[in-house]
Every structure is written in structure tokens, then in C-alpha cells.
Amino acid sequence: DAKTTQPPSMDCAEGRAANLPCNHSTISGNEYVYWYRQIHSQGPQYIIHGLKNNETNEMASLIITEDRKSSTLILPHATLRDTAVYYCIVRVALYDSNYQLIWGAGTKLIIKP
Amino acid sequence: EAGVAQSPRYKIIEKRQSVAFWCNPISGHATLYWYQQILGQGPKLLIQFQNNGVVDDSQLPKDRFSAERLKGVDSTLKIQPAKLEDSAVYLCASSTQNTIYFGEGSWLTVV
């Protein structure tokens, strides 16, 4: 079962920051939050991940609340090519350093000119 | 660096026929995954390999689905016999310690 809740869709104006929320209230202490996106007809693309500290890379920033029950993915200057389905995912640890990603339904983000 | 390779990209078969999908992971990645993604839903894990051993196949419908990774590199996913509800994208992925990388997927339509 999915461990995350996201709004089904969002709009954002081109050039503005896109802020995608995610609720993961049942997350455990050693479970990471991952974000992927999927552009139509392509495989999912890794964006960013974090445990409890905020993270930033060349694609996005990830803000995780202090209680770790929710997070926000920020695309600082959205472009039309950022239109995609964005998945907030919890990474569950298995044995022998293995792990799995538990996917939800995602948020369809539409960037408007 | 080459990504995860999958073939065929598209396949249309009739119900009760069989189909096989092939995956070549990123070089050096010990862990390989097969996911099923039905239109409008997130990917669902079917099977996870660590080298040539199975880590988790609890969601693989074993009466019709099978997968193997005999030499710990390439993998094949087979469906026999196919049902209409098997129409989906079959995604192969491989991972490092922290990141799972996906292929473009194999689109299956069962008619």
C-alpha cells in the first residue's frame, strides 16, 4: 500500500516556482523520501531524495518538515518541459542493504505559458 | 553512461498468447527490478533481483508471469498466457546504493 498522499493535479505558470506537497504521516525513522517524475511515454526519472535534512540539487529542492510527516518538492523556475506526473515515494529498507520504493498515484503538474 | 535498455518497445498480442520482455541493466548494478504500470497509476513492483537471486516476488502472479536473471546481468520477464488486464507498461530498473534508474518501458496491449 502507498505510504504517501499527493494532490492529483496542479497548475503552475511558466517561470514561477512549482511547489508540490506530499503527506507521509506514517513514515518510519529510517525511511527516505524520494521524488521521481514521469513524462508521457517515458520511464520515471529520478529527481531528489532525503531523510530529514533539506536537500538541493540541479533539478530541485526538497523541504522535509521537522516531524517528517510531510515534504515539498520545489522546482524553482518551472518550464514547459517540467509538465509531468511527479511521484513522492517512501523508500522501505529490506534485508542485506536492499530497498524498495512504495509508489502512490502521483501529482500531474501542468506548466502553463 | 548507458542507461537501462529494454525491448521490445511496443507489443500487441491476443489474449492467451505469450510474450517476453528483455532488460539489460546499467553496467555494475547488482539489483534489478521489474515493475508493471497500468495507465493512470504508479508503478507496481513485480519482482526484485539481487544478482541472480530473487529478493522479492510477492506481487508476481506466478500462475502466468515468470522472470529470470540467470547470469546476474540481463533479465527476461515472460507472460503466458496473457490476459486483457495485463495491458500495461512493463518497466525494468536497476539500482545503485541510493538511486533506482528506469528504462523507457515495454508497452503491452492484449486484445
Side-chain angles (χ1 to χ4, degrees), chain B residues 21-91:
Chain B
F21 301 112
W22 172 82
C23 173
N24 186 18
I26 294 173
S27 177
H29 285 191
T31 305
L32 183 146
Y33 311 77
W34 282 101
Y35 286 82
Q36 180 193 59
Q37 186 174 25
I38 293 172
L39 190 64
Q41 300 180 17
K44 183 186 85 170
L45 180 69
L46 293 175
I47 189 167
Q48 178 178 347
F49 291 96
Q50 175 83 2
N51 296 309
N52 60 351
V54 175
V55 173
D56 183 2
D57 64 356
S58 59
Q59 297 194 81
L60 187 73
K62 298 180 185 65
D63 58 333
R64 298 183 301 104
F65 287 64
S66 64
E68 60 184 14
R69 193 183 184 201
L70 293 176
K71 297 182 179 179
V73 180
D74 293 8
S75 177
T76 303
L77 176 71
K78 296 180 181 178
I79 307 173
Q80 182 178 17
K83 293 185 175 181
L84 297 177
E85 58 260 36
D86 298 332
S87 294
V89 180
Y90 291 86
L91 295 162

